[in-house]
Amino acid sequence: EALAAAAGALRAGGLVAVPTDTVYGVACLAQDPRAVRRIYSLKGRNGTKPLAVCLGDVELVHRYCHVNVPDALLRDLLPGPVTLVLRRSEELNKDLNPFTSLVGVRVPNHPFVRELARACSGPLALTSANISSQASTLTVSEFQDLWPQLSLVIDGGPIGDVQSPECRLGSTVVDLSVSGRFGIIRPGCALDSTVEILRQKYGLIPESS
């Protein structure tokens, strides 16, 4: 019932708060320019700060991005608390992050948000459920001030340990747009495991080297 209601709200151009594997997020249809503008307005966010896209399945990354890493690498990191930054494909809405040729892509390790992405035909735009520059949220009551601007709030209970600052770090954001290299854009909550996979298993070189 919650899934059907959330998918319906998104298809109608609404914004929906959802639990993810890291923090609470706000989602809209990435291919809907008006909904994307509403997310920026909700967050009080600078229009040049990019939004990530959320997909239900790893194989869809190839549809919306130009992937220049082995498929096994994608599957070692996704689904999980990692955002991969890749070159965007022509399939993606041109009004989404028009100032960059790159896009961050997420496949969260959370059944509800993945089912929601599958229920909508295209990718979701996903951002944390908070005002820009404020702390990420781990319960729905922490972003109560945003509720009036949302079509629906899906309460998945507390995410992680509400007392732990580490739980509010959000996903680790890693740039994989340059072949053979990786750059950490945001350390996030899965930095060590992500770097170990990229360096030890796949021999990628950190961009600062």
Side-chain angles (χ1 to χ4, degrees):
E1 198 178 326
L3 189 65
L10 291 172
R11 289 193 205 104
L15 308 183
V16 175
V18 289
T20 75
D21 53 352
T22 53
V23 295
Y24 270 88
V26 174
C28 75
L29 294 187
Q31 307 294 65
D32 180 341
R34 283 181 61 191
V36 167
R37 285 196 293 276
R38 287 184 63 202
I39 273 202
Y40 277 100
S41 158
L42 171 90
K43 298 263 299 180
R45 188 173 191 170
N46 179 332
T48 59
K49 203 171 174 193
L51 291 170
V53 298
C54 167
L55 304 171
D57 296 288
V58 180
E59 48 269 25
L60 287 171
V61 174
H62 290 274
R63 181 169 176 186
Y64 298 104
C65 302
H66 296 290
V67 180
N68 57 353
V69 294
D71 214 47
L73 186 157
L74 292 184
R75 292 179 182 281
D76 277 340
L77 295 177
L78 304 174
V82 184
T83 301
L84 304 183
V85 176
L86 297 159
R87 280 182 46 241
R88 60 193 285 157
S89 81
E90 293 62 42
E91 287 269 333
L92 210 52
N93 170 16
K94 290 177 177 57
D95 291 321
L96 183 81
N97 313 335
F99 44 83
T100 175
S101 60
L102 306 178
V103 68
V105 64
R106 280 271 271 137
V107 183
N109 190 15
H110 191 288
F112 182 85
V113 73
R114 289 183 69 193
E115 284 294 336
L116 182 58
R118 290 183 188 121
C120 300
S121 51
L124 305 180
L126 186 66
T127 184
S128 52
N130 57 339
I131 303 287
S132 274
S133 80
Q134 291 185 4
S136 299
T137 55
L138 300 178
T139 67
V140 295
S141 60
E142 290 180 346
F143 58 90
Q144 224 166 332
D145 50 338
L146 300 183
W147 290 5
Q149 298 174 71
L150 301 171
S151 300
L152 196 64
V153 175
I154 301 295
D155 187 352
I159 297 172
D161 177 0
V162 178
Q163 303 303 321
S164 162
E166 285 75 39
C167 283
R168 296 183 190 272
L169 293 175
S171 63
T172 294
V173 183
V174 57
D175 185 344
L176 295 177
S177 62
V178 178
S179 289
R181 293 184 171 270
F182 72 92
I184 300 298
I185 295 173
R186 181 175 74 193
C189 63
L191 178 65
D192 292 346
S193 57
T194 301
V195 169
E196 186 177 355
I197 287 168
L198 295 174
R199 292 189 77 156
Q200 309 301 331
K201 191 165 180 183
Y202 294 97
L204 298 192
I205 300 164
E207 273 181 351
S208 53
S209 307

